[in-house]
Amino acid sequence: MGCSGCRGRFNTGKVSVFFTMVLIFTYFFYCLTGFCDSAPRNLYSQQALDYDILDDHRRVLHDLRPSPRLLPDAPPHRNRTASADAEQVDTPGQLPQQHVSDSAKESAQSNSIPVSNTFGTKRFPQAIIIGVKKGGTRALLEFLRIHPDVRAVGAEPHFFDRFYDKGLEWYRNLMPRTLDGQITMEKTPSYFVTKEAPSRVCTMNCQTKLIVVVRDPVTRAVSDYTQTLSKNPSLPSFQSLALKNSTTGLIDTTWSAVRIGLYAKHLENWLQHFPLSHFLFVSGERLVSDPAGEMGRVQDFLGLKRVVSDKHFYFNQTKGFPCLKKPEGSSRPRCLGKSKGRPHPQIPSEVLQRLRDFYRPFNHLFYQMSGQDLGWD
């Protein structure tokens, strides 16, 4: 019995060894055929495929999204319309810079206008401060720019007197972008005395609102002379320029400082193209003595809510005119530059009186034409 049990255990061991060898042989056979690592390799391949797809999605989304660093300078996608009055602009940031048409880039470059990505529409000005030089036009513009619904060109464009040959599209490209409800403005005081300006402005838009800042023509002439004298100290005396002959006392109306003050003559030229209702005559004197009151009239004329008020002004005793109080976040108040408020030279009283006599009939005619007595006599 003992021997037969030994044979049974021996036979069982051989079977185990046999099956073990079969398994080992089978494993090596499949490894040699490449199957043994097929499952891990397939899993890795699927993971790689999934990664590539996700990476492609991220890359596409990244390409379509403008870089935050470039966003202020990226040009907007432009939606061109047939309207010559407005350049419509879609919401900026939708497309990267390379999607702007070459024609739009070339147009901007030819006009020396930088292509920028900002909100709003470039429009022709709905209102223009057309005059007069040394009347207070800069002060008026700066006061108006406080208003959130006013966007204005800082520098004087001089389009309707000097650069008209550049074309209306060039002019519109100078304008700031405005949102719905905002007013586009510019100021160039020499328009008022330029013979061709009224018809040119009307060619652009005969509904344009026109603001004229007027000041006592004698004081204005002295201020004009003072400004020129600061640039040219060798300038002849005021009286030698204002009078044709010191003996007769005849006024020389060919001198621009005198000629600008003939407000009635210049207004007559403008009234041939625009009705009186399109004009607002701002008193340069009241703009100094009561800036908030005069600004109230201006805001009403422009159809704006009265935002600019007494709270925005203080009187600067040194300069002799009102300044804007310190804006929030600024370290100092805003006053007009050194070129404003210069001390006037001493002019002989008889010369000033001769000028007042000369201007008197023209002043009265201007009062009748404008419907305002500005009290210069």
Side-chain angles (χ1 to χ4, degrees):
M1 282 207 41
C3 290
S4 62
C6 290
R7 281 196 299 271
R9 287 195 296 273
F10 179 76
N11 291 334
T12 301
K14 287 197 297 182
V15 170
S16 299
V17 171
F18 173 78
F19 278 108
T20 299
M21 292 182 68
V22 168
L23 290 172
I24 291 172
F25 176 79
T26 302
Y27 175 78
F28 278 108
F29 174 79
Y30 281 100
C31 283
L32 290 172
T33 60
F35 180 79
C36 64
D37 62 342
S38 64
R41 184 168 63 243
N42 287 340
L43 177 62
Y44 173 81
S45 299
Q46 183 63 42
Q47 287 175 339
L49 179 60
D50 291 343
Y51 175 82
D52 290 342
I53 292 173
L54 290 174
D55 186 60
D56 283 346
H57 283 161
R58 294 189 189 100
R59 186 165 58 250
V60 170
L61 290 173
H62 180 270
D63 289 344
L64 290 176
R65 185 178 66 248
S67 169
R69 181 178 62 84
L70 297 176
L71 187 58
D73 295 324
H77 176 62
R78 298 171 189 265
N79 174 24
R80 290 291 183 183
T81 69
S83 170
D85 183 60
E87 178 184 3
Q88 301 298 330
V89 180
D90 292 339
T91 303
Q94 291 179 336
L95 293 175
Q97 185 165 350
Q98 58 266 28
H99 290 276
V100 177
S101 67
D102 292 336
S103 61
K105 289 180 182 178
E106 290 170 2
S107 174
Q109 290 169 357
S110 65
N111 290 326
S112 300
I113 305 298
V115 179
S116 61
N117 185 12
T118 50
F119 291 99
T121 302
K122 289 195 173 189
R123 299 180 174 93
F124 291 120
Q126 296 101 312
I128 304 177
I129 301 172
I130 60 172
V132 297
K133 180 184 178 184
K134 305 309 295 180
T137 58
R138 173 55 61 183
L140 175 61
L141 185 68
E142 293 305 312
F143 296 165
L144 270 172
R145 291 174 82 175
I146 301 172
H147 202 293
D149 291 334
V150 172
R151 295 296 308 282
V153 182
E156 297 174 1
H158 283 282
F159 174 67
F160 295 106
D161 59 349
R162 298 181 189 171
F163 303 117
Y164 193 67
D165 60 333
K166 291 184 178 292
L168 285 167
E169 190 64 19
W170 178 87
Y171 179 56
R172 188 180 63 182
N173 277 328
L174 296 180
M175 298 300 117
R177 296 184 183 273
T178 53
L179 302 175
D180 289 343
Q182 291 183 319
I183 291 178
T184 304
M185 293 189 66
E186 69 116 320
K187 79 106 176 171
T188 305
S190 53
Y191 290 163
F192 189 59
V193 299
T194 300
K195 186 178 180 180
E196 299 81 10
S199 62
R200 290 172 175 178
V201 175
C202 192
T203 297
M204 176 191 72
N205 184 1
C206 287
Q207 301 304 312
T208 306
K209 294 184 176 182
L210 307 167
I211 300 176
V212 188
V213 188
V214 287
R215 181 184 183 187
D216 182 332
V218 177
T219 310
R220 198 221 65 82
V222 175
S223 181
D224 196 338
Y225 171 79
T226 303
Q227 182 182 51
T228 308
L229 183 64
S230 68
K231 300 173 183 178
N232 182 13
S234 61
L235 195 68
S237 66
F238 179 88
Q239 51 268 35
S240 65
L241 293 171
L243 303 178
K244 284 184 177 180
N245 187 298
S246 58
T247 304
T248 61
L250 290 176
I251 302 299
D252 188 354
T253 56
T254 63
W255 186 33
S256 63
V258 170
R259 190 173 63 254
I260 290 172
L262 302 174
Y263 304 142
K265 290 290 186 181
H266 305 305
L267 180 59
E268 185 179 18
N269 187 31
W270 281 87
L271 289 176
Q272 293 177 19
H273 300 272
F274 292 88
L276 188 62
S277 59
H278 282 44
F279 292 85
L280 177 69
F281 302 98
V282 175
S283 167
E285 286 82 10
R286 285 198 297 268
L287 201 57
V288 172
S289 63
D290 181 19
E294 205 66 2
M295 288 305 299
R297 294 180 60 241
V298 176
Q299 291 170 96
D300 291 347
F301 174 71
L302 295 174
L304 298 170
K305 182 181 178 181
R306 287 198 175 195
V307 171
V308 185
S309 63
D310 279 323
K311 68 181 181 181
H312 292 99
F313 302 100
Y314 79 96
F315 192 81
N316 186 307
Q317 296 291 344
T318 303
K319 287 184 171 290
F321 54 75
C323 295
L324 297 171
K325 290 182 180 178
K326 181 175 71 172
E328 192 172 332
S330 176
S331 60
R332 59 182 181 179
R334 289 165 52 194
C335 259
L336 298 180
K338 295 179 180 179
S339 63
K340 309 299 180 182
R342 292 189 188 96
H344 290 177
Q346 290 293 324
I347 310 294
S349 58
E350 59 271 17
V351 175
L352 297 178
Q353 186 58 51
R354 181 68 190 92
L355 268 177
R356 290 190 187 96
D357 295 339
F358 166 78
Y359 279 123
R360 187 171 292 109
F362 295 102
N363 291 344
H364 283 285
L365 182 58
F366 179 69
Y367 299 162
Q368 293 172 14
M369 294 172 68
S370 65
Q372 290 181 240
D373 186 342
L374 293 155
W376 294 325
D377 297 320

